[in-house]
Amino acid sequence: DAMVIQNPRYQVTQFGKPVTLSCSQTLNHNVMYWYQQKSSQAPKLLFHYYDKDFNNEADTPDNFQSRRPNTSFCFLDIRSPGLGDAAMYLCATSKGWGAYEQYFGPGTRLTVT
Amino acid sequence: QKEVEQNSGPLSVPEGAIASLNCTYSDRGSQSFFWYRQYSGKSPELIMSIYSNGDKEDGRFTAQLNKASQYVSLLIRDSQPSDSATYLCAVESNFGNEKLTFGTGTRLTIIP
């Protein structure tokens, strides 16, 4: 089945220790997104890629970076995680930008100690 | 004013009854609307998309859209305990250059 896969599902890191989260998709979608979701809050868009075109949300902290080496994979790098970065990180994909349905992966729960 | 507003709930509905979830949005130019279901600790799962005024039915789910009044709703017929989850409304917003803006969700509990 076509799907969006995220690894790891749970990640524990220390304060200030860099961490990388990964996402892969078999849907052959053009757009990949990274969202951050904290408890009882709406998902917050961090970045999106349309093919290789990178789009950063204005309020995404510089501490967050992203890479999309090919159509199938996308990475989220957190350079120096703080306690406030503990959250669920969601990868999503869609065929196109805007009106298209987005499909989410299972998420990575990040804990910062 | 929030761009997408939902009643946070919890909304409690007896098993077998109709659950009605509502969402209002502020961008009059929005054209695309989505409902997601999110179980506790899990990721959002797409239930329905709707683009035109009126009703759209898929199994036990019906999405209703009224662009003039800027609201979109989701009806769940014959509610089951497995429908207990948080339901997120998402709206394509021109304010944000066509990105999806999510509401904070309505927590629905189906009482057996």
Side-chain angles (χ1 to χ4, degrees):
Chain A
D1 285 343
M3 57 177 59
V4 183
I5 301 163
Q6 291 188 246
N7 285 301
R9 296 292 305 279
Y10 301 91
Q11 176 74 58
V12 180
T13 191
Q14 293 177 336
F15 183 94
K17 185 174 181 181
V19 66
T20 295
L21 310 181
S22 74
C23 176
S24 63
Q25 55 126 346
T26 60
L27 296 162
N28 201 30
H29 282 171
N30 295 312
V31 189
M32 297 186 76
Y33 309 80
W34 281 105
Y35 288 88
Q36 178 194 64
Q37 188 180 28
K38 297 184 177 179
S39 182
S40 300
Q41 295 184 19
K44 177 180 180 298
L45 182 63
L46 297 174
F47 318 95
H48 78 274
Y49 277 92
Y50 195 119
D51 291 332
K52 292 193 173 183
D53 292 337
F54 174 71
N55 295 271
N56 189 26
E57 291 300 298
D59 57 354
T60 298
D62 292 340
N63 197 26
F64 292 82
Q65 305 286 321
S66 185
R67 298 170 281 136
R68 188 178 185 185
N70 55 52
T71 304
S72 301
F73 284 86
C74 197
F75 299 95
L76 174 64
D77 301 308
I78 308 176
R79 293 192 295 188
S80 182
L83 298 178
D85 296 327
M88 175 80 90
Y89 289 89
L90 299 163
C91 175
T93 73
S94 64
K95 284 184 183 178
W97 173 248
Y100 293 87
E101 297 170 341
Q102 293 186 20
Y103 298 91
F104 285 85
T108 295
R109 171 72 64 186
L110 177 68
T111 301
V112 182
T113 61
Chain B
Q1 181 188 8
K2 291 183 182 177
E3 292 182 42
V4 179
E5 292 207 49
Q6 298 181 253
N7 188 324
S8 62
L11 175 65
S12 296
V13 173
E15 183 176 356
I18 296 174
S20 178
L21 304 162
N22 299 312
C23 171
T24 59
Y25 59 95
S26 57
D27 181 3
R28 188 168 287 277
S30 295
Q31 298 293 325
S32 308
F33 308 85
F34 307 88
W35 282 100
Y36 286 84
R37 177 175 63 198
Q38 188 171 27
Y39 293 113
S40 180
K42 304 296 185 183
S43 64
E45 174 191 6
L46 180 68
I47 300 175
M48 298 276 288
S49 57
I50 187 165
Y51 303 96
S52 303
N53 280 328
D55 294 1
K56 180 182 178 181
E57 186 174 317
D58 184 359
R60 295 187 297 112
F61 299 97
T62 299
Q64 299 176 318
L65 174 60
N66 184 324
K67 291 183 182 178
S69 299
Q70 294 175 246
Y71 83 79
V72 55
S73 62
L74 180 70
L75 302 178
I76 307 174
R77 289 183 302 281
D78 188 24
S79 296
Q80 303 296 311
S82 59
D83 295 327
S84 297
T86 295
Y87 289 80
L88 300 172
C89 172
V91 177
E92 172 231 343
S93 170
N94 286 325
F95 288 160
N97 193 24
E98 298 183 22
K99 72 178 181 181
L100 279 194
T101 300
F102 287 82
T104 54
T106 297
R107 189 156 54 96
L108 174 66
T109 300
I110 305 301
I111 304 167

